[in-house]
Amino acid sequence: CNSWLTCTTYEKKDANSPNQFFGAQDKCLAVGLCDSFNNQMVCNHFVSNTATETYDPLRDANKTGYSYFGTSSNAYYSYELMTQEGEAANVVNGSFEVGLTKASNVSQKQVGETTQKINELIPVGWQTAIYNCTANPGCTSGYPKPKIFDVGGQEVVLASGNNVAKEGSGALMVRSGNAAISESIDLDNNTDYYLSAWVKTSDLQGNTAPANPARAEIQLRFFNATGTINTASPITAYRAVDSAAAYTLGNSAADPNSIDGGWFFVTDSDSPLHIERGLDWHHVVLRFHTNSDVYRMQLALMNMNPISGTEYDNNSNFGGYTLWDDIQIKPLLKANGSQLVNRSCRVYPGQDAPSCRYVSGNNSYYGMYGYCLLEDPATPGQCLQWWPVDSIKGEVADDFSSYYQERAPLYYCVGKTTRSFNFLSANIMTTISDKIPKEFQGLMKDNGGQMAFTAFSVPPTSRPTFRYPFIYKIPVKVAAVGAGLDKGVYGTLFWGDMYPKRFCPLSLGGFISNAVLGGRELCFS
């Protein structure tokens, strides 16, 4: 034991602690190799080590600890030499665990060789699209275009059920020639990122020719500082972690208003973003570097049916579906010169948790991610050795919510898309009198003068988005019915819009309205 791993970068549990050194309650973020410490038990000499763990039977037969051996081509670096590559960006609902109820749920579906129950929801953060092309078949220059009206509602759904997802309980199901477009993803310019995804194409039906099989595909679209689609070489897509060699990129033209089109794709035959049909869960990774005028991007997850190297027919002899899961733009661990390790769930939120992060009822649950460097060969999926840090780069408390990370410039919203979610909640909200005439005592509850309000209920599937700023306003209708001491029954009705900090009535008993106020809004804080 002439050297050991020690924490070199850490987060203090108590930010005001006078002790600047790493302690048992602090969170380790990076490690180094140490061979000496001072009288305060703090490392005072770090070992410079450049060797990978290539196995030597005479030297290493009895070696234990943080060692993972291999041949000269796949041996891991020593743990202190491993680095986290790339920066983090927030892909909303990339794990596909959050969905909204839809009217046309499909209860039974053929999955592989078995028929099982699958729940279908509207995936939060993703929009249904179709591959738009003027010539089909024979299309050579199409692009994914959002559907304004999703009449069928069956083309892109969040599917959940037994053994549907790669990780967790939900996966995105994209049928035949359709696509799903993500919300905008904030990026930094002149920055390295790693896009990773799990894709399953075993149930996609289409062209079977080995040269041009039907496939799943990921396309990318980028925006500059003004929000305009950027088609002027927005990124460089690299072939490997340490390579300067780049993939060849093509793109569809942006429309004259620069609000549609402009999607980029890898044209090389070995593109990591082309996933041919017939595959079980397959992991893809693309490293890309943004140029100086890239600030946001979108992803399109789509299915394509090529009939030649450059032509597509997404209408004929094309069916089935693909499944997508765990779409991330997160740092990866560089384990050696060519191998990257993706993050996986190290600690689940609970014993019965379906995923590392998920929403259930009123609550959001968060586990802890890490990098698994050695799986149990006897029990796949069980990790024997994690990279020994407490928190990895790119983790935040809530991947669903927006958060400020000191990026510039800041944006102001000048337009929005409004969607209405209808649910009915009707309750007896309160009674306010303790002097109810005896003729009405069996019909009205005596609360002794206290106002007892009843909270309205929100469907569980709507709770993930039932928060500001996603909820703009809540229309409210209130009926007030009372019994007077003269035994008469009196009533009134008013309605209005409830905002986060005010209520604006549109009618009060039928005699106050915006029209009476000359179009001005009457609101109460």
Side-chain angles (χ1 to χ4, degrees), residues 98 166 295 383 486 511:
V98 183
K166 172 62 180 175
Y295 291 86
C383 187
D486 60 355
F511 61 83

Side-chain angles (χ1 to χ4, degrees), residues 92-160:
V92 172
N93 198 23
S95 61
F96 304 111
E97 298 296 326
V98 183
L100 302 174
T101 301
K102 60 186 296 182
S104 53
N105 286 359
V106 175
S107 59
Q108 300 289 331
K109 187 168 297 300
Q110 188 75 17
V111 179
E113 298 179 355
T114 62
T115 300
Q116 65 184 50
K117 183 176 180 180
I118 292 182
N119 298 317
E120 295 188 354
L121 305 173
I122 300 171
V124 170
W126 297 82
Q127 184 176 8
T128 301
I130 191 72
Y131 191 71
N132 181 62
C133 196
T134 54
N136 206 343
C139 175
T140 59
S141 58
Y143 60 87
K145 183 180 180 67
K147 287 187 175 181
I148 299 177
F149 299 105
D150 186 7
V151 179
Q154 300 283 330
E155 291 83 2
V156 175
V157 295
L158 190 155
S160 62

Side-chain angles (χ1 to χ4, degrees), residues 391-471:
S391 181
I392 61 177
K393 182 180 176 183
E395 289 304 301
V396 296
D398 188 354
D399 276 346
F400 182 78
S401 299
S402 299
Y403 54 94
Y404 180 54
Q405 292 184 308
E406 301 183 57
R407 295 187 177 122
L410 298 179
Y411 296 101
Y412 290 91
C413 180
V414 294
K416 64 179 182 293
T417 299
T418 301
R419 296 182 64 182
S420 297
F421 299 96
N422 298 318
F423 55 89
L424 176 64
S425 181
N427 293 293
I428 298 176
M429 300 292 286
T430 182
T431 57
I432 61 175
S433 175
D434 58 353
K435 297 179 180 180
I436 301 176
K438 62 181 181 179
E439 287 83 0
F440 301 102
Q441 287 179 0
L443 301 176
M444 296 183 178
K445 182 180 177 183
D446 185 354
N447 276 359
Q450 300 298 315
M451 299 182 70
F453 289 96
T454 302
F456 57 82
S457 59
V458 180
T461 53
S462 299
R463 287 195 180 277
T465 55
F466 206 85
R467 64 177 96 174
Y468 183 81
F470 301 109
I471 297 297

Side-chain angles (χ1 to χ4, degrees), residues 186-460:
D186 287 339
L187 300 176
D188 288 326
N189 51 14
N190 297 315
T191 302
D192 270 349
Y193 291 99
Y194 286 86
L195 167 65
S196 63
W198 284 95
V199 192
K200 184 177 181 180
T201 62
S202 56
D203 293 290
L204 185 64
Q205 303 166 4
N207 190 6
T208 59
N212 298 293
R215 66 175 185 249
E217 183 174 334
I218 303 176
Q219 294 193 8
L220 321 170
R221 180 162 66 180
F222 301 91
F223 300 86
N224 60 24
T226 63
T228 303
I229 296 174
N230 185 344
T231 57
S233 302
I235 64 165
T236 302
Y238 292 101
R239 288 182 169 271
V241 59
D242 277 342
S243 174
Y247 288 107
T248 303
L249 297 177
N251 67 278
S252 57
D255 72 358
N257 297 318
S258 292
I259 59 173
D260 215 344
W263 289 93
F264 279 79
F265 46 89
V266 177
T267 61
D268 302 272
S269 59
D270 60 344
S271 167
L273 304 186
H274 293 175
I275 307 94
E276 67 180 61
R277 64 180 296 275
L279 298 179
D280 200 352
W281 284 109
H282 180 75
H283 193 238
V284 298
V285 176
L286 177 71
R287 172 193 168 205
F288 65 93
H289 182 86
T290 57
N291 72 15
S292 60
D293 196 21
V294 169
Y295 291 86
R296 289 185 297 135
M297 71 175 296
Q298 286 180 297
L299 302 173
L301 315 179
M302 52 200 297
N303 300 324
M304 300 293 288
N305 192 37
I307 55 177
S308 70
T310 58
E311 294 184 339
Y312 302 92
D313 181 1
N314 284 358
N315 289 340
S316 305
N317 301 316
F318 196 28
Y321 59 87
T322 54
L323 292 174
W324 303 77
D325 204 0
D326 204 19
I327 313 297
Q328 297 185 11
I329 301 179
K330 296 280 191 180
L332 302 179
L333 185 68
K334 181 181 176 183
N336 59 29
S338 60
Q339 188 168 354
L340 295 167
V341 177
N342 198 42
R343 63 191 58 211
S344 55
C345 196
R346 183 173 182 175
V347 179
Y348 283 86
Q351 188 173 8
D352 58 349
S355 174
C356 210
R357 294 185 175 179
Y358 66 99
V359 176
S360 178
N362 298 332
N363 302 312
S364 298
Y365 298 88
Y366 302 98
M368 179 186 298
Y369 285 92
Y371 298 110
C372 182
L373 296 175
L374 181 61
E375 283 195 351
D376 186 348
T379 312
Q382 295 294 320
C383 187
L384 296 178
Q385 183 59 63
W386 297 90
W387 193 51
V389 298
D390 296 320
S391 181
I392 61 177
K393 182 180 176 183
E395 289 304 301
V396 296
D398 188 354
D399 276 346
F400 182 78
S401 299
S402 299
Y403 54 94
Y404 180 54
Q405 292 184 308
E406 301 183 57
R407 295 187 177 122
L410 298 179
Y411 296 101
Y412 290 91
C413 180
V414 294
K416 64 179 182 293
T417 299
T418 301
R419 296 182 64 182
S420 297
F421 299 96
N422 298 318
F423 55 89
L424 176 64
S425 181
N427 293 293
I428 298 176
M429 300 292 286
T430 182
T431 57
I432 61 175
S433 175
D434 58 353
K435 297 179 180 180
I436 301 176
K438 62 181 181 179
E439 287 83 0
F440 301 102
Q441 287 179 0
L443 301 176
M444 296 183 178
K445 182 180 177 183
D446 185 354
N447 276 359
Q450 300 298 315
M451 299 182 70
F453 289 96
T454 302
F456 57 82
S457 59
V458 180

Side-chain angles (χ1 to χ4, degrees), residues 169-185:
S169 60
L172 186 72
M173 178 183 289
V174 179
R175 291 189 173 92
S176 59
N178 294 281
I181 297 178
S182 72
E183 287 189 3
S184 294
I185 302 165

